Amino acid sequence: MDSQQDQNAPPAAAAADEKAFKLTAFSDEAHDSTFHFQILHLTDQLYIWVGCNTVRMGHMYAALATPWDRTPSVAALLGGGANSTGASMARRLSMRTGWSIVLASSLPSNSPTIEAFAEQRLFQELKSLGYVKPISKSSNRAPPTSATKLQA
Amino acid sequence: MALESSSYEEEEEAPAVAATTEPSVRKFVVPSKHFVASIQGRKTEIVQFSYDDYILVVVTQVGKLGTLLHARKEEGYGTAPTFNVSIIMGKRDEPLLVACARQLIEHISKDGSSRPLVLSLGLSDHSMDTLKEIIEVVTSNKIW
């Protein structure tokens, strides 16, 4: 497994010149395929790209939590469709990490094994990078809605 | 927090114009450039990725992707190519952002690439001077 990580600007650099975003890029081999991942950590957002045996950006989706639903909303920005596999992966990543996510994915759409591996590997890396927000502290996740029952 | 170990070599190129940090060029399957520049006095972080099917340029002053634009070239047969810019997420009433994407796709086309562009602009001001400087800094440190 190849793992490559971006180094921040030299430690002595002035704060004004330091890169605020951290880019993590790595590749992994599994299921007779080579997976490539990019995670760009912005303030309040993650840009994620995943490719399998390809360097194509593919389709792009945005997923973020809204105050009116516990499940993050997804939009297909480029190609794909709101019900495609990439869209559901974006939604799940947003739900599991608590972040607003823009996901670009060129994974094949007919292979659940490939998807499952990519998502798991990605989540594993997000966790080890410390990018998974604990539920209690995250302001990104909708609070539990209280059901009010009409009194007869 | 985040892991700091790196096991690859990072090449550094001197930026041509206005970048205040050396762009880090990564040896990953996706070529990328990542640097900080000062645009009209504001700290601006720029990340460029070169995929096989798209060029992605992220320019932000507010720490977020902001408005996402898609710009592509359509080849005319025997005539000059036409360009199409659309906004795929964010503010739809900022013509200067559209003009910025249009300028960049024209540069990309002139430099010989037919790939479409996805441009992210997360800016604190949308003045002409800011956008002109952004175009300069991006093209001077281009990934294509």
Side-chain angles (χ1 to χ4, degrees):
Chain A
M1 176 174 97
D2 292 312
S3 186
Q4 305 169 335
Q5 288 192 341
D6 189 51
Q7 267 184 344
N8 285 329
D17 289 346
E18 238 175 62
K19 296 172 196 170
F21 308 152
K22 187 154 161 58
L23 173 62
T24 307
F26 58 100
S27 303
D28 208 343
E29 305 272 343
H31 303 291
D32 291 325
S33 305
T34 308
F35 292 80
H36 305 295
F37 302 89
Q38 280 176 320
I39 301 171
L40 180 63
H41 178 293
L42 303 141
T43 314
D44 290 348
Q45 269 179 335
L46 290 175
Y47 165 76
I48 296 176
W49 171 70
V50 53
C52 177
N53 293 328
T54 182
V55 190
R56 296 176 66 86
M57 191 184 84
H59 300 315
M60 196 179 268
Y61 309 89
L64 69 161
T66 54
W68 50 83
D69 197 332
R70 289 197 84 158
T71 313
S73 302
V74 190
L77 305 179
L78 268 185
N83 293 322
S84 64
T85 55
S88 36
M89 184 186 300
R91 183 187 285 116
R92 278 191 301 273
L93 284 171
S94 178
M95 189 147 39
R96 292 169 86 188
T97 61
W99 286 88
S100 165
I101 303 254
V102 170
L103 171 72
S105 158
S106 52
L107 296 178
S109 50
N110 52 3
S111 175
T113 331
I114 301 268
E115 276 166 51
F117 174 77
E119 195 173 321
Q120 249 333 96
R121 182 67 187 86
L122 201 43
F123 189 68
Q124 177 188 63
E125 190 73 20
L126 288 168
K127 231 172 148 181
S128 76
L129 287 167
Y131 294 166
V132 177
K133 294 184 189 175
I135 298 181
S136 51
K137 290 181 188 166
S138 168
S139 56
N140 233 5
R141 288 168 174 173
T145 50
S146 52
T148 48
K149 288 183 181 169
L150 290 174
Q151 303 271 323
Chain B
M1 271 279 284
L3 299 175
E4 289 290 278
S5 66
S6 90
S7 51
Y8 75 102
E9 292 154 34
E10 206 175 293
E11 286 171 27
E12 301 218 327
E13 290 178 12
V17 164
T20 51
T21 54
E22 303 286 299
S24 48
V25 181
R26 312 175 54 83
K27 278 190 177 149
F28 176 62
V29 287
V30 179
S32 66
K33 281 196 187 183
H34 181 190
F35 57 94
V36 173
S38 176
I39 307 268
Q40 297 282 301
R42 280 197 177 88
K43 176 184 170 185
T44 309
E45 198 146 343
I46 298 177
V47 187
Q48 302 192 40
F49 295 126
S50 172
Y51 299 101
D52 283 352
D53 55 344
Y54 283 95
I55 292 162
L56 174 61
V57 177
V58 175
V59 178
T60 174
Q61 299 172 331
V62 299
K64 292 186 167 175
L65 291 174
T67 301
L68 274 175
L69 300 106
H70 174 233
R72 67 173 197 276
K73 162 171 100 164
E74 283 153 8
E75 289 288 0
Y77 293 100
T79 59
T82 52
F83 301 98
N84 187 291
V85 181
S86 55
I87 295 176
I88 58 180
M89 185 168 83
K91 297 183 195 232
R92 284 159 210 279
D93 51 1
E94 296 272 3
L96 284 180
L97 299 185
V98 174
C100 181
R102 169 68 191 257
Q103 289 270 303
L104 283 173
I105 189 71
E106 281 197 47
H107 270 108
I108 293 170
S109 169
K110 266 191 223 135
D111 290 340
S113 174
S114 304
R115 276 173 294 169
L117 165 72
V118 174
L119 173 66
S120 140
L121 290 172
L123 307 175
S124 36
D125 94 271
H126 296 164
S127 69
M128 182 101 81
D129 292 326
T130 296
L131 289 159
K132 272 193 183 153
E133 240 185 277
I134 286 173
I135 292 169
E136 238 181 77
V137 173
V138 169
T139 50
S140 309
N141 296 284
K142 60 191 176 199
I143 192 75
W144 59 89

